[in-house]
Amino acid sequence: VGQYILSPARVLTPEEELTVPVLPDWYIIPKEVKRICEHAKVTTDTVQPMRNFLLRGPAGTGKTEGAKAVASGLHLPYRCLTCSANTEVFDLLGQILPDVDGKRTALERQYPSFQDIMLDPASAYEKLTGTYDENITEDQVYKQLIDTIFDEMHEYYASKTSQQHFRYVDTPLVEAIRNGYLIEIQEPTVIANPGVLVGLNSLMDRCNSVFLPNGETVQRHPDMVIVVTTNNDYAGCKPLNQSVISRMSV
């Protein structure tokens, strides 16, 4: 665990540290996992560091646990993306979605919690209205809270135009590309269109960049590792495109 850190000077944020897998005590590290970590570490300063790995085998042989163990050995945050028959390139690289504000949750002010209202209705009422009334009841404060939030939301939407806005949504893969995480791509052989993964070829090549649907070009972080895990010859599985297999380091 943590014996194959790719960039010794790199410091993960507390949030990233929480997503570095912790191996259970019962887990016996397979030789394949150790070999992948060794290859990734020893080739780090070479012209073409090994960062793309393919694990194949029957269900239950520990491919996903192996991917997590690799992340643990490299001390990288772990991300996962599971493929299905309908997976398309935009499912891997993100998509442009309408920016629907109907589910707005970020309010401008800090409001008293229900516990605040129960413990001290007068102070909660003062926080909402600026007026301290020691005779105010919990029910009156609850009603004032609802009215205040309603007024804020009404003002917010009244100031917005009716023009539709769109935003780009990152996938776990793009998050891993940007920040240098390990991403496990599960079961790509079930994708109905075997050419979908070919859309990632530029990411796996030496140029190490990919074009996103929003027009942005993302450079692959030097620590970013791709582990593809797939079954062998199961019903519904299709052969991986040879151009994808040729880009796997091991």
Side-chain angles (χ1 to χ4, degrees):
V1 172
Q3 295 301 304
Y4 302 93
I5 295 176
L6 303 178
S7 300
R10 180 181 178 185
V11 178
L12 300 180
T13 66
E15 293 78 12
E16 290 174 334
E17 286 284 0
L18 291 175
T19 60
V20 176
V22 177
L23 300 184
D25 293 337
W26 53 260
Y27 185 72
I28 299 173
I29 299 172
K31 61 182 184 300
E32 292 85 357
V33 166
K34 185 170 182 288
R35 189 179 305 133
I36 287 174
C37 291
E38 290 171 345
H39 284 321
K41 176 66 175 178
V42 77
T43 61
T44 292
D45 296 323
T46 63
V47 175
Q48 192 170 10
M50 291 185 175
R51 295 291 185 267
N52 307 323
F53 303 99
L54 173 62
L55 297 177
R56 289 188 293 190
T61 52
K63 298 184 296 297
T64 291
E65 289 295 329
K68 292 179 179 178
V70 171
S72 182
L74 303 178
H75 196 71
L76 292 177
Y78 168 84
R79 297 292 185 270
C80 178
L81 196 154
T82 303
C83 301
S84 69
N86 299 320
T87 296
E88 295 292 344
V89 172
F90 60 76
D91 295 315
L92 304 177
L93 298 180
Q95 50 189 312
I96 306 296
L97 297 175
D99 190 4
V100 181
D101 287 317
K103 295 182 179 179
R104 182 174 183 245
T105 56
L107 297 170
E108 299 299 324
R109 294 171 50 185
Q110 289 294 322
Y111 293 105
S113 67
F114 288 148
Q115 186 176 13
D116 294 335
I117 296 174
M118 291 173 59
L119 295 176
D120 190 353
S123 296
Y125 186 74
E126 182 182 24
K127 191 172 184 179
L128 288 170
T129 65
T131 301
Y132 186 86
D133 184 354
E134 60 184 15
N135 296 318
I136 202 77
T137 65
E138 291 181 21
D139 288 341
Q140 290 174 310
V141 180
Y142 286 138
K143 183 178 185 304
Q144 183 62 49
L145 174 64
I146 294 171
D147 291 343
T148 303
I149 293 177
F150 178 83
D151 290 342
E152 181 191 322
M153 299 297 284
H154 181 75
E155 291 175 9
Y156 173 81
Y157 289 115
S159 66
K160 295 294 179 182
T161 65
S162 59
Q163 182 180 358
Q164 180 66 67
H165 298 280
F166 294 85
R167 59 190 173 90
Y168 168 77
V169 180
D170 269 353
T171 65
L173 175 61
V174 176
E175 186 186 8
I177 296 169
R178 292 184 191 276
N179 303 308
Y181 301 161
L182 182 144
I183 177 79
E184 179 192 358
I185 302 178
Q186 295 182 341
E187 309 303 341
T189 53
V190 303
I191 300 175
N193 179 3
V196 169
L197 275 191
V198 177
L200 300 182
N201 278 354
S202 63
L203 175 66
M204 301 181 192
D205 278 335
R206 293 186 185 184
C207 63
N208 288 335
S209 64
V210 68
F211 296 98
L212 301 183
N214 63 348
E216 180 185 1
T217 301
V218 177
Q219 298 294 323
R220 179 172 173 171
H221 191 287
D223 289 350
M224 189 258 190
V225 173
I226 296 176
V227 177
V228 177
T229 57
T230 182
N231 295 317
N232 282 333
D233 304 326
Y234 279 21
C237 293
K238 298 176 174 60
L240 272 178
N241 188 291
Q242 191 61 42
S243 67
V244 175
I245 295 178
S246 68
R247 286 170 170 81
M248 294 293 111
S249 303
V250 177

